[in-house]
Amino acid sequence: MSVWPAWEVREGGNATSWFDVRLEFGDGARVDVLAVVAEGCVSLEDVRAQPALSLDDLAVLADWIEGPLAEASGLGPEPGPEVAGPRRARPAWPRGIEGRWLVAQEYRAAQEEGVDPVLAVMCATGHSRRKSLRLIAQARDAGYLTPRHARR
């Protein structure tokens, strides 16, 4: 696997970095990814594969590139003792009432900052857009956020 910086944009104290990632397999298959690192979150901008990836392979693509991309972008873990056990692809997020309350906090903070609140919840929880929208709906149902639409 190869990871190399494509370009970086700095604005104020924040930086957004793009990385080209290439995975090459022994059978000649290849996957090229353009990944963006901003504010500690990683997004995939473009994925090209030859031959095309199956849905299962696409679902684990982030796991394939996670370590090398984190290392190249400086987001890698601090050096320390190795911990045995299963790896989590996303940070631990509390369930139930506490999780809903935290989702509402992330959502409102993003609104106040003028950024996309759904994206903020995605970054905070490590979940997909669909799952994050479900968590936001649960926070609304619990009364932590105002209703999305006024009912008549």
Side-chain angles (χ1 to χ4, degrees):
M1 177 181 319
S2 304
V3 178
W4 60 96
W7 66 90
E8 183 176 80
V9 175
R10 291 190 178 274
E11 184 175 345
N14 298 326
T16 302
S17 303
W18 283 261
F19 292 87
D20 286 316
V21 181
R22 174 170 283 169
L23 292 90
E24 294 182 291
F25 299 91
D27 63 356
R30 186 176 80 205
V31 179
D32 292 311
V33 177
L34 179 62
V36 179
V37 178
E39 298 179 13
C41 294
V42 176
S43 302
L44 302 181
E45 287 279 316
D46 187 39
V47 177
R48 295 176 190 241
Q50 187 62 34
L53 293 175
S54 69
L55 289 177
D56 291 335
D57 289 341
L58 189 57
V60 297
L61 178 62
D63 291 335
W64 293 346
I65 68 171
E66 176 182 25
L69 185 58
E71 195 175 301
S73 66
L75 293 176
E78 301 268 332
E82 288 293 319
V83 178
R87 248 184 51 208
R88 291 185 57 95
R90 65 176 68 98
W93 190 260
R95 295 176 182 234
I97 293 171
E98 183 184 1
R100 291 180 189 120
W101 184 80
L102 290 171
V103 163
Q105 296 301 314
E106 288 290 334
Y107 189 93
R108 283 195 297 270
Q111 280 183 321
E112 290 173 8
E113 294 173 15
V115 297
D116 182 359
V118 177
L119 185 60
V121 171
M122 289 170 60
C123 287
T125 63
H127 289 298
S128 68
R129 182 173 186 80
R130 183 179 206 164
K131 175 68 175 174
S132 295
L133 287 169
R134 192 174 306 131
L135 292 172
I136 292 165
Q138 290 172 356
R140 284 187 200 289
D141 292 345
Y144 297 125
L145 294 171
T146 59
R148 182 173 159 87
H149 301 291
R151 295 183 181 167
R152 295 179 186 187

